[in-house]
Amino acid sequence: MNLSIPRRVRFGMLNNVSRRILLLAVLAVPFAHVARAADVEVKVDNARIRLLPGNLPLAGYFDITNTGKSVVVLEGASSSAFHHVMMHRSVRSNGQSEMHHVDSLELAPGQSLHFEPEGLHLMLMHRTRKLAVGDQVPITLMFEGDRTQEVVFTVRGAGTQ
Amino acid sequence: MVRKIATLLAITVACALGVTGCSKDPMKWDLVNITGIMEPLAFSLTDDHGQAVTQDDYRGKVALLYFGYTHCPDVCPTTLARLSQALSTMGSDADKVRVLFVTVDPKRDTADLLKTYTDSFGPQFVGLRTDDLDRLKAFNKRYRVTFGYGKPDADGNYEVSHSSAVFIFDQQGKARLIAEATDDVPAIAHDLKQLVSGN
Ligand SMILES: [Cu+2]
């Protein structure tokens, strides 16, 4: 291998690499953000959390509609206010009630889903901070294709639906 | 025919004027009637103040019995919220009712936790517990229900399957009605009002 590579060429090679890194840094990252914000065409209403005392798990409820022209797949949620957020469905059979994990939910164009008492709910585990009735809590809904949508949930009292 | 209509009209007017004996059938229940089918209220548990209690401590009250657990984020608080909303339509009669929340998860549901939990639904809500799982099972079985524990996750959290029914007893501790998840607030309120007035 010839070690006496002219300085100019070596600089040229380095420049190529750093140019690529620059391109990736300047273009790719902001593009990813734009894509996330713009791509999920969903409408979310009536987002609320029912407060329980202490650090008991809470339920988050909302209505979601696919307002776009392609299928949207809801794959989960996360929030800085909770250590874990899971999608659950309460199921009743023979007078017994239990919760099942839900991995993903498909919404056809125009389709709505209701996260509501005694059905689908976000299971909000281990608060990272104290919550009070009236608080606004952001929760990020995560969709297939690494797309997200932030939704603000209102904290309501224990005796509410 | 005309006479028949006239009679009906007379009855209707009399009822509208509040003449006694022609109010809506007082024995019409919106919830499932279990009078004579289920066992009367009987238990020996500890309340959320740590006091030993039995059914006799709630004699004279309409008692609503529910088997649940505080780490239940959806079904239990939804049921208790419905009961709380029904009670809030009853004025001072609400004090003639007690909601007995019997935890099927005594391991996590201490008396203190039960107290703060039931307090968040209203003054008529009482938490009851026992560490004796056999006694708890027998109490469930008495009302033909059961409970079971799911596998703990990495953090030690587990879910509990439990009855979704609310068993309703009159002031004498006789089983009278069952409220299910499908029964709405007006139906529950309607029947509770009838029960507290001694029907
Ligand atoms: Cu759940």
Side-chain angles (χ1 to χ4, degrees):
Chain A
M1 182 142 191
N2 186 3
L3 289 173
S4 62
I5 301 166
R7 276 182 89 95
R8 209 157 32 92
V9 177
R10 262 153 79 187
F11 266 113
M13 284 166 75
L14 280 174
N15 278 345
N16 252 337
V17 173
S18 36
R19 228 176 261 150
R20 270 188 208 159
I21 290 167
L22 258 176
L23 267 172
L24 279 171
V26 173
L27 298 173
V29 174
F31 261 121
H33 272 280
V34 171
R36 274 183 192 178
D39 270 357
V40 204
E41 291 182 80
V42 292
K43 191 166 79 79
V44 176
D45 298 301
N46 205 15
R48 74 261 186 212
I49 293 169
R50 181 177 39 215
L51 190 63
L52 294 173
N55 209 352
L56 292 172
L58 306 179
Y61 303 115
F62 58 95
D63 304 318
I64 181 170
T65 303
N66 180 354
T67 52
K69 290 188 165 59
S70 53
V71 170
V72 162
V73 182
L74 180 60
E75 291 186 326
S78 70
S79 171
S80 63
F82 303 95
H83 282 305
H84 295 296
V85 181
M86 292 172 285
M87 291 200 295
H88 274 180
R89 191 194 300 274
S90 294
V91 181
R92 228 160 22 99
S93 64
N94 297 323
Q96 290 290 116
S97 131
E98 57 185 45
M99 290 189 290
H100 293 175
H101 286 266
V102 176
D103 288 331
S104 65
L105 292 162
E106 218 178 86
L107 279 122
Q111 193 189 341
S112 296
L113 274 177
H114 304 286
F115 279 66
E116 59 192 358
E118 288 161 336
L120 286 168
H121 56 274
L122 290 182
M123 176 98 167
L124 311 167
M125 309 273 292
H126 299 286
R127 284 162 238 187
T128 57
R129 53 185 165 94
K130 273 200 172 147
L131 295 178
V133 171
D135 282 0
Q136 304 283 307
V137 179
I139 295 179
T140 303
L141 301 181
M142 302 185 293
F143 299 88
E144 190 183 65
D146 203 21
R147 297 180 296 174
T148 61
Q149 167 117 341
E150 193 183 278
V151 178
V152 176
F153 285 65
T154 302
V155 177
R156 297 211 204 145
T160 61
Q161 302 286 16
Chain B
M1 184 63 186
V2 175
R3 190 179 283 176
K4 224 177 191 176
I5 292 172
T7 311
L8 266 174
L9 205 69
I11 292 171
T12 312
V13 170
C15 289
L17 291 172
V19 177
T20 51
C22 57
S23 59
K24 238 176 32 177
D25 179 7
M27 289 307 162
K28 197 189 162 293
W29 303 98
D30 285 350
L31 308 176
V32 175
N33 192 341
I34 53 161
T35 306
I37 297 171
M38 285 272 187
E39 296 287 324
L41 189 62
F43 61 83
S44 176
L45 299 164
T46 306
D47 74 6
D48 50 23
H49 289 100
Q51 299 288 316
V53 287
T54 70
Q55 71 284 350
D56 291 338
D57 292 284
Y58 304 98
R59 273 289 138 80
K61 303 284 185 192
V62 168
L64 278 56
L65 173 68
Y66 184 67
F67 297 100
Y69 67 114
T70 67
H71 284 68
C72 161
D74 181 39
V75 169
C76 304
T78 300
T79 300
L80 297 184
R82 264 205 315 270
L83 299 180
S84 167
Q85 287 163 20
L87 288 170
S88 71
T89 69
M90 295 176 66
S92 59
D93 275 349
D95 187 46
K96 297 175 181 164
V97 179
R98 286 294 175 274
V99 181
L100 308 179
F101 180 85
V102 178
T103 177
V104 292
D105 186 18
K107 201 171 136 192
R108 286 184 294 191
D109 289 342
T110 60
D112 281 350
L113 180 52
L114 279 175
K115 178 89 178 78
T116 41
Y117 181 78
T118 51
D119 279 355
S120 64
F121 293 96
Q124 307 86 2
F125 291 72
V126 181
L128 298 177
R129 69 185 301 283
T130 175
D131 287 311
D132 182 346
L133 286 187
D134 289 333
R135 178 181 296 188
L136 189 56
K137 270 178 208 157
F139 191 26
N140 271 256
K141 205 175 167 194
R142 185 175 171 88
Y143 301 101
R144 299 171 208 172
V145 294
T146 183
F147 61 92
Y149 302 117
K151 241 197 245 151
D153 66 14
D155 300 324
N157 289 305
Y158 53 92
E159 283 152 26
V160 184
S161 72
H162 59 101
S163 160
S164 55
V166 178
F167 301 96
I168 304 177
F169 302 83
D170 63 20
Q171 287 98 326
Q172 289 75 46
K174 234 169 70 183
R176 298 294 299 274
L177 303 161
I178 288 183
E180 262 294 351
T182 44
D183 293 309
D184 58 13
V185 172
I188 296 166
H190 170 264
D191 283 12
L192 287 183
K193 278 172 197 159
Q194 284 190 172
L195 269 186
V196 295
S197 54
N199 287 307

